[in-house]
């Protein structure tokens, strides 16, 4: 299993990519999961704020010779 751990404004973003699929975990909460095998995958989540809103997290996984992980928060690339 390959994992990426990112700290963003005091929040923990974790992406897991394994044989059984991909998972997006934000602040310890599973927010999206794709099961099975895919060449490319997209995961969505949210960094929650006190008022119920928050910032949108998007993850793009894929690659021909390995797995690349790109993490976006509110459409801004924070990890490539």
């Amino acid at each position: 299993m390959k994992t990426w751990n990112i700290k963003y404004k005091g929040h923990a973003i974790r992406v897991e990519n394994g044989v059984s699929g991909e998972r997006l975990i934000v602040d310890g909460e599973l927010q999206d999961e794709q099961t099975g095998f895919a060449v490319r995958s997209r995961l969505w989540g949210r960094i929650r704020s006190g008022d119920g809103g928050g910032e949108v997290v998007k993850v793009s996984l894929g690659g021909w010779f390995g797995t690349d992980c790109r993490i976006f928060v509110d459409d801004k690339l924070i990890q490539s």
Side-chain angles (χ1 to χ4, degrees):
M1 175 183 295
K2 189 164 185 178
T3 61
W4 294 267
N5 292 293
I6 304 298
K7 292 286 186 186
Y8 178 78
K9 294 183 180 179
H11 297 277
I13 301 172
R14 179 179 176 92
V15 178
E16 299 176 350
N17 179 12
V19 177
S20 61
E22 299 85 28
R23 296 165 39 125
L24 170 62
I25 301 161
V26 178
D27 292 333
E29 176 187 351
L30 177 64
Q31 295 206 356
D32 199 0
E33 181 175 40
Q34 299 292 323
T35 58
F37 177 77
V39 176
R40 294 192 178 274
S41 185
R42 184 72 69 142
L43 301 169
W44 299 80
R46 182 173 298 276
I47 296 172
R48 304 205 190 282
S49 65
D51 62 1
E55 298 174 282
V56 174
V57 178
K58 294 187 289 186
V59 177
S60 179
L61 292 165
W64 288 104
F65 302 106
T67 303
D68 296 324
C69 177
R70 293 179 181 240
I71 301 172
F72 298 83
V73 175
D74 278 347
D75 298 322
K76 178 183 169 192
L77 180 65
I78 64 166
Q79 165 70 36
S80 64

